[in-house]
Amino acid sequence: GNSVTQMEGPVTLSEEAFLTINCTYTATGYPSLFWYVQYPGEGLQLLLKATKADDKGSNKGFEATYRKETTSFHLEKGSVQVSDSAVYFCALSPFSSNTGKLIFGQGTTLQVKP
Amino acid sequence: DAEITQSPRHKITETGRQVTLACHQTWNHNNMFWYRQDLGHGLRLIHYSYGVQDTNKGEVSDGYSVSRSNTEDLPLTLESAASSQTSVYFCASSEQGAHQNEAFFGQGTRLTVV
């Protein structure tokens, strides 16, 4: 079946540090891949997405590349800020489903200290 | 601006009571979803709907029901609340027709069953 695995958190970094949050997936065919972010007290919002192999999604300094060969979609940012403190979810939408169902990873909490 | 709103934001109820959580979207999306968020599990799909009068069970549907009488609303009902249903509940909507479409989330309802 389809599944998503994220690195366990929490991840604590100092401001301006480099961030990597690992995400690997299991799926048949060619799913779409997403990173959603949840700021404290809020719902999830889309951070970036990639819909086919070797696509790079990017937004707000964050990047992730769809790697079919390693079934991965790792999230990176070169210099984190305190305002990036949030919970980050990796998710996939199966290719066979055109109806938007999402399968989420466990979520990774990021805390950035000044 | 289009939005998706949930009510109430917080709810405490007693074991065995029936509870209904509201979700209202003004995106005019056909797809609507209910997820629950629990530590260590990420978000898991409870029920979903692809349009008026259409409802479907998700991964963790036992003890929950939904109805879709119009495009804008998908209320979630807990028939007889149990302590295992203490969780944060998120409603989401998305456009129909493509697995890469972004989902828009409400701010969540924190439900405590005592």
Side-chain angles (χ1 to χ4, degrees):
Chain A
N2 300 305
S3 65
V4 176
T5 302
Q6 288 180 238
M7 62 186 288
E8 291 193 18
V11 174
T12 303
L13 296 173
S14 298
E15 208 165 21
E16 299 184 2
F18 185 86
L19 168 71
T20 300
I21 300 178
N22 291 335
C23 171
T24 57
Y25 68 90
T26 300
T28 54
Y30 297 88
S32 287
L33 301 174
F34 304 83
W35 277 100
Y36 280 83
V37 59
Q38 182 182 28
Y39 297 105
E42 299 184 9
L44 282 72
Q45 55 186 273
L46 180 67
L47 181 60
L48 54 84
K49 70 179 184 182
T51 59
K52 60 183 187 292
D54 300 323
D55 265 3
K56 178 185 284 188
S58 61
N59 186 24
K60 299 181 181 178
F62 291 89
E63 293 183 341
T65 301
Y66 189 140
R67 300 287 188 198
K68 181 76 174 168
E69 63 276 14
T70 55
T71 61
S72 65
F73 193 55
H74 304 321
L75 182 68
E76 296 182 335
K77 186 175 185 183
S79 176
V80 295
Q81 305 301 311
V82 173
S83 57
D84 294 325
S85 297
V87 182
Y88 292 82
F89 292 94
C90 185
L92 70 82
S93 181
F95 180 73
S96 61
S97 164
N98 66 354
T99 49
K101 286 188 287 183
L102 291 167
I103 297 165
F104 287 89
Q106 306 94 310
T108 302
T109 299
L110 170 65
Q111 184 178 21
V112 181
K113 296 187 174 181
Chain B
D1 285 349
E3 59 182 1
I4 179 166
T5 55
Q6 295 181 232
S7 62
R9 294 292 310 277
H10 303 272
K11 174 80 175 177
I12 301 174
T13 191
E14 294 179 343
T15 300
R17 289 194 178 268
Q18 184 182 79
V19 177
T20 297
L21 310 183
C23 175
H24 179 82
Q25 54 99 1
T26 58
W27 290 97
N28 200 34
H29 287 157
N30 283 324
N31 298 345
M32 294 186 73
F33 310 87
W34 274 103
Y35 294 89
R36 61 177 287 174
Q37 181 182 22
D38 303 290
L39 276 175
H41 291 281
L43 278 76
R44 292 178 292 175
L45 184 62
I46 304 171
H47 280 286
Y48 57 101
S49 169
Y50 296 152
V52 176
Q53 303 301 329
D54 176 77
T55 61
N56 306 277
K57 294 181 178 180
E59 177 188 358
V60 290
S61 61
D62 287 350
Y64 304 93
S65 64
V66 294
S67 60
R68 188 89 180 268
S69 59
N70 58 52
T71 300
E72 295 81 15
D73 298 290
L74 187 71
L76 177 71
T77 298
L78 286 68
E79 304 295 343
S80 177
S83 58
S84 60
Q85 295 176 308
T86 293
S87 186
V88 180
Y89 292 86
F90 286 99
C91 181
S93 71
S94 67
E95 286 188 27
Q96 200 168 47
H99 64 106
Q100 64 266 35
N101 287 339
E102 175 182 359
F104 295 86
F105 285 79
Q107 291 188 295
T109 295
R110 182 175 295 276
L111 177 68
T112 302
V113 182
V114 297

